[in-house]
Amino acid sequence: MSPPDATLPRVSDIPDSQPTTALRRRLAELRGADVAPRPLDARALAALAANPGCRRRALLDGAGVDKGALAKSLGAPAAFGQSQFAFVRGHAFEARVKGDGGAELLRLVHARVGGAGVPAPEPGEAAVPDLSAPGPAGRAERTRLALERATAEGRWTLLDHPMVVLEVAGSPAYLEPDAVVVHPDGRRTVVEIKSFPILDGSADPAKVGAAARQAAVYALALQALGGRVDERALLVCPKDFSNLPTAEAVDLRRQLATTRRQLARLTRLEEIAAALPEGVTFDPARPAGELAEAVRALPAAYAPQCLSTCELAFHCRERARAAGAVEVLGREVRGELGGLTTVGAVLAAARGDGCGDGSGDGSDDGGDDPAAAALRRAARLRAEALAAGRP
């Protein structure tokens, strides 16, 4: 491992925070004056980008609210996170991959995404700069300077747990990739190290997809710094049932385009916060009734997919079910139903009972609404099939 960079600024020369703004003060009030912010990581950003219409999640994540503690206070806790065994195993595997100055990791990078004509780094040849600094802003600045120097020097460089920043809905999110490798030609590759196995050359597609979405978030943050960012990430996992590392290049172009578009659609946090009543707070120490009112003031966009990505999903599902919202049936079904927004309206349209409000007064048969017409036809076919099956 290379010695710390003497040419990078001293840790004491890097500011540990950005100037306080009105938005930051407002977000601190929403979170609770004495509550430390919960960092917004790439996994949360990927989930947020997949559901950009959810103002509830956008503001709570942007304010650093602990949604797990909030859900528990609301009486709808959700279990998230790795088991202690998986956590320890993952750390041990990552340490093995990065051992000896990252020699094995750099070998995998060169083999999978190194590029033709670029010689593989010799053991101990790559630079591994010290990225420590006080606070996330200090670490992000140290990372930026290390990237600039690595590009200027034209040598293999391994950044171990760098810190990058991405503006999300008007608020900075500090993100920490497992690693970023700078190639001699200046190209930067995001490295994701996961503990799930690659068996016979393939891995769980759902887990690979989740890793790709996280890597795309890191790549977007790197692109904001300028320079060439590889549109492929390196996914490093255990090979078969061993603890030996193997790697595959993952194409990020689709995830980059989707995530960039979805993040751009997010309503800015100032607008969401301005619409809240005065004095609203999401401090988990407040009474449950007060918290429920505060959460209700934030519009949500619930979908069944939220159950695997958001700590508040069980609370949101309960409220959606109580309101009879069609969102509980899934995004695909919701998209097919057009202006029919409740389960009662859907059933009324299927019966031809009226305008879709579930009142069943017979005042309207659904008109020319294609969704209502399709529902009526499906109801007729079902009735005919049931009738034909009777003895």
Side-chain angles (χ1 to χ4, degrees), residues 84-287:
Q84 187 63 28
F85 172 76
F87 186 77
V88 171
R89 181 183 61 187
H91 272 270
F93 179 68
E94 181 175 338
R96 175 166 188 162
V97 171
K98 293 179 178 177
D100 297 325
E104 178 65 12
L105 175 56
L106 289 165
R107 184 190 69 78
L108 291 170
V109 170
H110 179 267
R112 300 301 185 189
V113 296
V118 179
E122 297 294 333
E125 176 187 354
V128 187
D130 178 13
L131 302 178
S132 59
R139 291 181 58 200
E141 178 65 10
R142 192 74 181 244
T143 296
R144 184 186 67 80
L145 294 169
L147 286 168
E148 288 182 355
R149 182 183 180 190
T151 303
E153 290 185 344
R155 62 184 296 195
W156 287 99
T157 302
L158 169 62
L159 303 186
D160 185 5
H161 283 286
M163 183 69 72
V164 290
V165 62
L166 182 66
E167 184 172 301
V168 180
S171 181
Y174 292 97
L175 310 169
E176 186 176 355
D178 291 328
V180 171
V181 172
V182 183
H183 301 244
D185 61 1
R187 184 162 41 102
R188 300 157 185 182
T189 298
V190 174
V191 178
E192 278 284 276
I193 302 174
K194 299 296 185 182
S195 58
F196 60 82
I198 293 179
L199 303 173
D200 295 326
S202 63
D204 184 334
K207 293 180 178 179
V208 173
R213 288 190 291 273
Q214 292 179 46
V217 173
Y218 297 134
L220 286 176
L222 285 172
Q223 288 178 354
L225 293 173
R228 295 174 55 201
V229 180
D230 203 332
E231 292 186 327
R232 297 170 297 169
L234 188 75
L235 176 62
V236 183
C237 300
K239 182 179 181 180
D240 298 325
F241 297 101
S242 71
N243 200 34
L244 298 175
T246 187
E248 292 294 336
V250 180
D251 191 336
L252 299 180
R253 286 175 294 182
R254 183 173 64 84
Q255 286 84 358
L256 280 168
T258 300
T259 305
R260 186 184 293 111
R261 181 175 66 253
Q262 300 290 59
L263 289 178
R265 288 176 55 197
L266 287 172
T267 306
R268 294 182 66 84
L269 299 185
E270 298 98 322
E271 298 176 27
I272 305 175
L276 291 175
E278 190 68 28
V280 164
T281 179
F282 302 98
D283 185 343
R286 303 298 299 171

Side-chain angles (χ1 to χ4, degrees), residues 2-41:
S2 301
D5 262 320
T7 60
L8 289 178
R10 295 171 299 173
V11 169
S12 59
D13 293 335
I14 300 176
D16 63 350
S17 62
Q18 296 181 345
T20 301
T21 64
L23 174 61
R24 292 180 183 279
R25 289 194 296 270
R26 176 61 172 147
L27 295 181
E29 293 170 359
L30 292 172
R31 184 175 62 246
D34 299 322
V35 180
R38 188 176 182 84
L40 184 61
D41 59 17

